[in-house]
Amino acid sequence: MASILVLSSAPSTQVLPALELLSHQVRRIPAEATQLIGAPESDVLVIDGRVDLAGAKSLCRLLRTTGQETPLLLVVTEGGMSAVSGDWGIDDVLLAEAGPAEADARIRLAIARYEASAEPSRVQASGISIDEQSYSAKLHGKPLDLTYKEFQLLHFLATHPSRVFTREQLLSEVWGYDYFGGTRTVDVHVRRLRAKLGDQEQIIGTVRNVGYRFNVYDDEADAAAG
C-alpha cells in the first residue's frame, strides 16, 4: 500500500476516482508548493491538471527545481494530454478516467523507478560535474546557471560520452517524441549551453553534417588544446 498525496485546488471532486477503488492511503491538500511544508510524507504526489493545466505545469516544474524528489504523477483530461511534454518534470501522466488497474500499475512503476535511482548519482567528465538529484551542474567546481532544458541536454550528452547524436535523436530523447518544434531548437540550446561553458565550449562538439557529441578530455590541459 502506498501513501499518496493529491495536490488539487478544484472543488471537492475526486481527482482520480480510481484511487477510491484501491487500497492506497490518499490525502488531499491545496495545489500550492507551500502546502507541502508540514504535509505528511508520501510515496507519490498526484498533481491535478484537469482544470488549470498551466498552473499544474508551473507547480510541477517548481517542485522539481526546489528539489522535490517524490515521484510526480499528473492527472489530466483527454484534451490536456497533448499539452504535456518532457520539460514538465513529471514521472508519469494519467487520464482522469483511468481505471484502477492502470492507476495502480503507474503508481507502482513510479515508486519502483524512484527507489532504483534513490542513491545519489553524479556524472563527472571533462571538468563537468552533474548532480542528477539536485538538477545542478558545475564546470571545474563553478556552478553553471542552466535552464531545465539546458541541464537535460547537457546531462544526456554527458551520460553518452563521445557518441554522436543527430538533431532528430536529441529532439526525441531530450524534448520528447510529442514535441512539435523543429530541430533548430536543438541548435539554439546547444549555442546557449556553449555560451555558458565559456572557454570550455568545445566540450560540446559538432560533427559536421551529423550532429553533436560530448567530447571527453582527460584533464583541463587537453580541453584547452581541443
Side-chain angles (χ1 to χ4, degrees):
M1 181 178 71
S3 175
I4 299 172
L5 190 60
V6 177
L7 279 72
S8 174
S9 295
S12 298
T13 58
Q14 291 299 324
V15 177
L16 187 61
L19 290 179
E20 292 296 302
L21 303 175
L22 300 172
S23 60
H24 302 304
Q25 183 181 41
V26 181
R27 296 185 178 91
R28 176 171 169 161
I29 62 174
E32 300 173 7
T34 55
Q35 293 293 322
L36 288 173
I37 301 175
E41 292 188 5
S42 59
D43 299 310
V44 174
L45 295 180
V46 173
I47 312 298
D48 183 7
R50 298 170 303 158
V51 178
D52 184 4
L53 198 60
K57 176 181 179 179
S58 297
L59 178 59
C60 290
R61 298 182 69 176
L62 177 61
L63 291 174
R64 284 300 185 223
T65 55
T66 54
Q68 179 61 243
E69 298 178 357
T70 306
L72 299 182
L73 296 187
L74 176 68
V75 176
V76 297
T77 62
E78 182 80 32
M81 184 69 79
S82 61
V84 181
S85 61
D87 64 352
W88 287 43
I90 60 174
D91 294 280
D92 208 343
V93 60
L94 270 167
L95 285 174
E97 299 79 15
E102 179 183 355
D104 190 51
R106 291 183 184 273
I107 290 168
R108 287 187 288 102
L109 289 171
I111 294 174
R113 288 193 296 266
Y114 168 73
E115 292 177 344
S117 61
E119 288 298 319
S121 178
R122 291 179 179 271
V123 177
Q124 290 185 305
S126 301
I128 296 286
S129 176
I130 298 175
D131 188 331
E132 298 175 347
Q133 299 300 309
S134 64
Y135 290 84
S136 62
K138 296 180 179 180
L139 175 60
H140 299 305
K142 182 179 179 180
L144 291 170
D145 183 18
L146 305 179
T147 65
Y148 181 72
K149 193 56 64 180
E150 289 166 354
F151 173 84
Q152 284 189 308
L153 178 60
L154 178 62
H155 177 269
F156 180 78
L157 289 170
T159 51
H160 300 84
S162 301
R163 179 177 169 184
V164 180
F165 291 93
T166 66
R167 291 167 176 80
E168 289 78 10
Q169 287 175 316
L170 290 172
L171 198 65
S172 175
E173 295 290 342
V174 179
W175 278 262
Y177 68 90
D178 57 348
Y179 180 74
F180 294 108
T183 55
R184 178 164 172 71
T185 296
V186 177
D187 296 327
V188 170
H189 279 76
V190 167
R191 185 170 66 250
R192 291 174 180 170
L193 184 55
R194 282 172 170 165
K196 293 181 179 181
L197 292 173
D199 59 4
Q200 302 294 306
E201 67 173 18
Q202 68 277 0
I203 290 174
I204 307 300
T206 299
V207 179
R208 190 178 297 276
N209 298 323
V210 181
Y212 300 103
R213 70 182 175 196
F214 186 91
N215 289 323
V216 179
Y217 300 104
D218 292 333
D219 53 38
E220 192 171 345
D222 285 346

